[in-house]
Amino acid sequence: MARKKKVRLNLYITEELVDFAKDWSYVTDVPISSMLEKYLEEKKELVPQISPFQWLSDPVINPDFLKEDEFINDMETYINNSEEEEFCRENPDHPRAKIREKLKSEYIILINKERDLQKKREKEVIQRWMEVFTM
């Protein structure tokens, strides 16, 4: 078997993650560098077969990119609760109704900011993808 030329790569990750990687490496009997190499090899094979748009939108291809914020999900569930909405509509002077209105307006502002940031991140990913991977 031909030996591959090795190149040193410095990685800056948390000590806790390094400790886990050492333990996982011991358990699986796979060097950490081989784990990283395998991950990157998989991406190297995937990239020519997909577009940046697929990378950004397909949760099967890239499950990490579109992670939802649990706080936003909770807020959305509360805002869309029809029973709570009906109670607040029937009792507009109740403290719950006032809190709900305030939360709803803050939620809308937050969602708009998050959407704008997401669009910006996606645009930057597409731009870098096209620079690097398009011939």
Side-chain angles (χ1 to χ4, degrees), residues 3 5 8 12-13 21-22 43-44 47 73 87 101-102 114-116 125 131 135:
R3 294 185 56 99
K5 182 179 177 187
R8 183 173 180 87
Y12 298 95
I13 55 178
K22 289 176 183 176
K43 298 305 176 239
K44 182 181 175 187
V47 166
N73 287 339
F87 173 84
E101 277 305 309
K102 180 74 173 159
E114 287 291 321
R115 187 179 57 233
D116 291 344
V125 166
E131 283 175 23
M135 315 272 165

Side-chain angles (χ1 to χ4, degrees), residues 11-113:
L11 298 175
Y12 298 95
I13 55 178
T14 65
E15 186 175 345
E16 180 182 342
L17 195 54
V18 170
D19 291 342
F20 171 77
K22 289 176 183 176
D23 291 343
W24 188 244
S25 174
Y26 172 72
V27 168
T28 60
D29 197 27
V30 177
I32 297 169
S33 57
S34 295
M35 292 179 204
L36 178 59
E37 189 173 27
K38 180 180 178 199
Y39 171 82
L40 293 173
E41 193 65 41
E42 289 171 0
K43 298 305 176 239
K44 182 181 175 187
E45 292 173 8
L46 177 67
V47 166
Q49 300 172 17
I50 63 171
S51 73
F53 306 101
Q54 287 173 298
W55 178 256
L56 293 171
S57 62
D58 190 336
V60 173
I61 292 174
N62 185 9
D64 295 329
F65 197 81
L66 296 174
K67 283 194 174 176
E68 297 266 336
D69 187 352
E70 190 174 322
F71 171 75
I72 292 176
N73 287 339
D74 291 344
M75 287 282 288
E76 192 171 292
T77 301
Y78 174 72
I79 297 294
N80 293 328
N81 183 323
S82 59
E83 294 171 358
E84 184 70 14
E85 183 179 13
E86 184 179 337
F87 173 84
C88 293
R89 189 174 37 249
E90 291 172 359
N91 305 293
D93 293 331
H94 194 280
R96 270 175 46 191
K98 292 177 182 178
I99 290 171
R100 184 177 186 281
E101 277 305 309
K102 180 74 173 159
L103 283 174
K104 188 175 180 179
S105 64
E106 289 177 5
Y107 168 77
I108 291 169
I109 291 168
L110 178 65
I111 287 298
N112 288 335
K113 283 182 183 178

Side-chain angles (χ1 to χ4, degrees), residues 52 126 128-135:
I126 292 169
R128 290 190 303 264
W129 184 297
M130 300 302 266
E131 283 175 23
V132 174
F133 295 122
T134 303
M135 315 272 165

